[in-house]
Amino acid sequence: MKILVVDDERLLVKGIKFNLENEGYAVDAAYNGEDAVTMARLTPYDLIILDLMMPGKDGLQAAQEIRSFSTVPIIMLTARSERSDKLMGFESGADDYITKPFDVLELKARVRALLRRASMAANGSESGSVLQRGHIAIDEERRAAYRAGEAVELTMKEFDLILFLMKNPGKVYSREVLLDLVWGYEYQGDTRTVDVHIRRLREKLELDPANPKYIVTKWGVGYYFNEK
């Protein structure tokens, strides 16, 4: 497994690199957003650990650029714990976040969990079934999504979420339940993470995101996929 660690604090990068290499990972380092984007274009990383606050191109900008050409899992590092910062990270395409200062054991646990889910996703389903609802189609085996016949790039967690909802059409799930079932019990994120992913799925898959037909809100309860 190959990981890219990006932070302008060189001592911190050195420590993370040392600990992850002791776990058997191959680790590259970058110290700014520009280099992070360039390296992500050139190398098929299995995971990127990306600091939020960096001079020049920050982590949010770097994540957005990386998301334009890659669905690699991203863990965002942030020195601030404000909800707005975390939500901005998810809006930019992060799959998980961890707040500084952090315990290296927690970071390694987050890395293992995200890589494990990514590996399971890459292996795909044995059924090879394609779910089709109106203009939205999901190829589970190939981890591919289509909007009116055109391929749409989804992140790992976006795909997991829409796949789960489409496999359970008509059933309403609260944000808390979706976090447990899609993100996993070890995930400690805010429930608004679900809102961010739902909004991105609507933008990518609905014909009219402002008036979604399939990815629907049940006000005061949660979300469901409309089977009609």
Side-chain angles (χ1 to χ4, degrees):
M1 292 287 185
K2 197 169 184 64
I3 298 174
L4 174 62
V5 179
V6 188
D7 198 306
D8 61 317
E9 298 181 47
R10 290 177 178 264
L11 188 59
L12 177 63
V13 172
K14 183 178 180 180
I16 295 175
K17 189 174 189 294
F18 174 80
N19 279 280
L20 292 180
E21 287 178 338
N22 281 344
E23 294 290 313
Y25 302 115
V27 183
D28 286 342
Y31 306 100
N32 58 71
E34 290 85 353
D35 288 347
V37 174
T38 299
M39 294 171 72
R41 285 186 184 277
L42 297 175
T43 304
Y45 290 105
D46 297 290
L47 178 75
I48 295 178
I49 299 173
L50 182 63
D51 185 40
L52 174 66
M53 300 298 294
M54 292 185 290
K57 183 174 294 181
D58 63 20
L60 295 176
Q61 294 170 311
Q64 288 175 333
E65 287 195 36
I66 291 170
R67 276 288 169 260
S68 70
F69 60 83
S70 173
T71 58
V72 59
I74 296 175
I75 295 178
M76 191 75 79
L77 301 180
T78 173
R80 298 180 296 187
S81 59
E82 283 86 352
R83 175 180 293 181
S84 60
D85 291 326
K86 297 171 184 176
L87 292 177
M88 285 171 62
F90 288 121
E91 288 277 14
S92 299
D95 296 284
D96 200 355
Y97 70 89
I98 188 167
T99 304
K100 299 177 183 178
F102 53 82
D103 187 316
V104 69
L105 295 178
E106 179 186 0
L107 177 62
K108 289 193 288 189
R110 297 286 186 95
V111 167
R112 285 195 298 269
L114 201 51
L115 286 173
R116 182 172 63 251
R117 292 198 294 269
S119 177
M120 292 171 62
N123 289 333
S125 165
E126 295 181 0
S127 66
S129 60
V130 175
L131 295 176
Q132 178 83 45
R133 295 287 188 278
H135 66 271
I136 299 175
I138 299 293
D139 188 326
E140 185 175 1
E141 183 175 0
R142 293 178 174 81
R143 300 281 298 181
Y146 301 89
R147 173 182 176 271
E150 295 186 2
V152 175
E153 286 294 327
L154 301 181
T155 66
M156 181 185 70
K157 199 51 59 185
E158 289 169 357
F159 188 92
D160 291 343
L161 179 57
I162 190 61
L163 178 63
F164 177 80
L165 292 174
M166 288 184 70
K167 280 188 167 183
N168 299 278
K171 296 181 181 179
V172 181
Y173 294 93
S174 69
R175 295 167 178 81
E176 292 80 5
V177 169
L178 288 172
L179 278 178
D180 286 341
L181 296 178
V182 179
W183 274 259
Y185 70 89
E186 71 275 279
Y187 183 72
Q188 300 297 317
D190 191 287
T191 55
R192 289 187 63 187
T193 300
V194 178
D195 299 337
V196 171
H197 283 74
I198 288 290
R199 182 163 60 252
R200 289 210 305 257
L201 284 172
R202 285 171 174 165
E203 291 171 352
K204 293 180 178 182
L205 295 175
E206 292 280 4
L207 296 178
D208 183 1
N211 298 286
K213 180 179 180 180
Y214 292 102
I215 306 169
V216 183
T217 301
K218 183 72 172 181
W219 296 109
V221 183
Y223 299 105
Y224 68 100
F225 193 91
N226 188 3
E227 58 186 331
K228 297 181 181 179

